[in-house]
Amino acid sequence: MKLFKVILVLVVLFASYYFYLSGGFLKVASYFDSSLNLPDLSLESLKTGVEKGKEFLPDPLVRKDKNSDGKILKYSLILEETNRHRKENGLPPLVLNSKLSLAARVKTEDMFKDQYFEHESPAGKSASDLVSEAGYGFIVVGENLAMGHFKDENDLVTAWMNSPGHRANILGAQFKEIGIYVARGEYKGDSVWMSVQEFATSESVCEKPFNSDKNKIEEDIDALETINQKLKELKQAISGANKNDPSYNKLIEDYNSLVVKYNAGTLLIKENTEKYNIDVRSYNACIAEYTSEN
């Protein structure tokens, strides 16, 4: 029995000595050999379609004859004629939008005031600028301009339909809404009608990823880099520490705890980044549906 106790004591002492020499259960080498580099977590970029927009601006239409000076053109009937042509071509009707109509009105009045007839004003403003200033966030914008004398609304819209560029706007599947304004005024000594159609599709039709999601990922990446820097400092401290020092095991515990935190943070960021990038690709595909060339 005494011999058994002696052998047991020797085994315990030998095991303790072995764990002491090898660094014990808190063996640092297994962590030092692990890669703690952050994987490629790059965030994909959103298309700039909403910010920059895409404009469809055919050359303005001018009617020079004067055989219908007395006719009053109405925007409601212009809308009716426009949607009639869309229906005949299997397209859904355009919805009248008050903000787009405001942009059309500003454009019309500005052309009379500054005596020009172009898509870009002397001040350098184009359709996308006017639509944005009217408070309409858009993916794509188109503008039809007409000046002259027209028998009625059908005559005006028919004239646009006979022009390839204007017809493309009227029958544009990429457009969902429209604004219209028409007015009579003096242009370079002649009394004429000016008509403006603003075509657009709201940015709200494409679900945009939340900026807060992107910001949170970037904040988490910064926090992870802070942990990584601390790990490097602890690793250096452990390498230079005396294993017999009472603080040695505390350094290892701190290091191992941060490794767990770092790896968990990496996994979470990876998952959130993949989700965000899927949302970005979905949004970009939606934008492309409206901005691609027909």
Side-chain angles (χ1 to χ4, degrees):
M1 185 66 177
K2 291 182 178 179
L3 180 61
F4 173 77
K5 289 182 178 179
V6 170
I7 293 173
L8 180 61
V9 169
L10 290 174
V11 169
V12 171
L13 290 174
F14 178 80
S16 299
Y17 183 69
Y18 174 79
F19 287 134
Y20 171 77
L21 291 178
S22 63
F25 289 109
L26 297 174
K27 190 174 182 182
V28 179
S30 62
Y31 291 105
F32 285 175
D33 292 340
S34 299
S35 173
L36 294 172
N37 294 324
L38 192 65
D40 182 15
L41 299 174
S42 58
L43 298 172
E44 295 184 21
S45 299
L46 296 173
K47 281 187 179 293
T48 57
V50 171
E51 288 76 17
K52 291 181 61 179
K54 184 168 184 178
E55 297 176 299
F56 294 82
L57 309 174
D59 291 340
L61 176 68
V62 179
R63 173 73 67 80
K64 296 183 178 180
D65 60 75
K66 300 182 179 182
N67 57 4
S68 55
D69 288 0
K71 175 63 180 177
I72 297 176
L73 301 177
K74 298 180 179 180
Y75 76 86
S76 59
L77 295 180
I78 295 174
L79 174 62
E80 184 179 304
E81 284 297 313
T82 297
N83 279 333
R84 179 176 66 82
H85 286 285
R86 286 179 67 88
K87 182 178 180 180
E88 290 175 354
N89 286 271
L91 295 166
L94 294 169
V95 177
L96 189 68
N97 181 278
S98 60
K99 292 179 179 179
L100 292 178
S101 290
L102 173 60
R105 176 177 179 174
V106 170
K107 177 65 175 178
T108 305
E109 293 177 348
D110 190 60
M111 289 191 295
F112 277 126
K113 179 176 70 73
D114 288 344
Q115 294 290 285
Y116 72 95
F117 188 59
E118 299 290 343
H119 289 291
E120 185 172 316
S121 73
K125 291 185 178 182
S126 190
S128 59
D129 298 307
L130 297 178
V131 169
S132 294
E133 290 173 5
Y136 187 100
F138 62 90
I139 294 173
V140 62
V141 165
E143 183 178 76
N144 280 356
L145 302 179
M147 179 179 66
H149 306 275
F150 300 90
K151 184 172 66 174
D152 53 24
E153 293 79 9
N154 176 273
D155 186 31
L156 168 61
V157 176
T158 298
W160 271 328
M161 286 294 292
N162 288 335
S163 167
H166 299 92
R167 177 188 178 89
N169 277 349
I170 290 174
L171 301 183
Q174 73 272 34
F175 299 125
K176 291 184 176 293
E177 296 182 296
I178 189 173
I180 302 172
Y181 195 75
V182 57
R184 191 184 184 100
E186 292 293 321
Y187 179 74
K188 295 185 178 180
D190 190 14
S191 178
V192 297
W193 284 95
M194 283 193 183
S195 304
V196 177
Q197 289 181 312
E198 300 289 3
F199 304 87
T201 293
S202 171
E203 64 183 354
S204 63
V205 302
C206 293
E207 187 174 355
K208 191 173 186 179
F210 294 111
N211 281 333
S212 57
D213 292 342
K214 179 182 179 182
N215 294 339
K216 181 64 168 59
I217 293 171
E218 292 173 341
E219 289 172 3
D220 288 346
I221 290 175
D222 289 340
L224 208 62
E225 180 54 39
T226 300
I227 294 176
N228 191 31
Q229 183 59 40
K230 181 62 176 177
L231 284 169
K232 292 177 181 178
E233 294 172 0
L234 281 172
K235 182 177 180 180
Q236 184 175 4
I238 292 170
S239 298
N242 186 341
K243 289 187 178 182
N244 295 321
D245 194 303
S247 65
Y248 180 74
N249 281 347
K250 181 62 169 62
L251 288 174
I252 294 177
E253 289 175 1
D254 290 345
Y255 182 88
N256 291 347
S257 176
L258 278 181
V259 167
V260 172
K261 187 175 182 180
Y262 182 94
N263 289 336
T266 299
L267 180 61
L268 180 62
I269 292 172
K270 184 174 185 295
E271 292 174 350
N272 290 338
T273 299
E274 289 175 351
K275 181 181 180 301
Y276 179 81
N277 286 341
I278 289 173
D279 292 342
V280 169
R281 287 192 290 272
S282 176
Y283 173 81
N284 288 346
C286 180
I287 292 291
E289 290 182 14
Y290 295 97
T291 58
S292 59
E293 295 291 346
N294 294 325

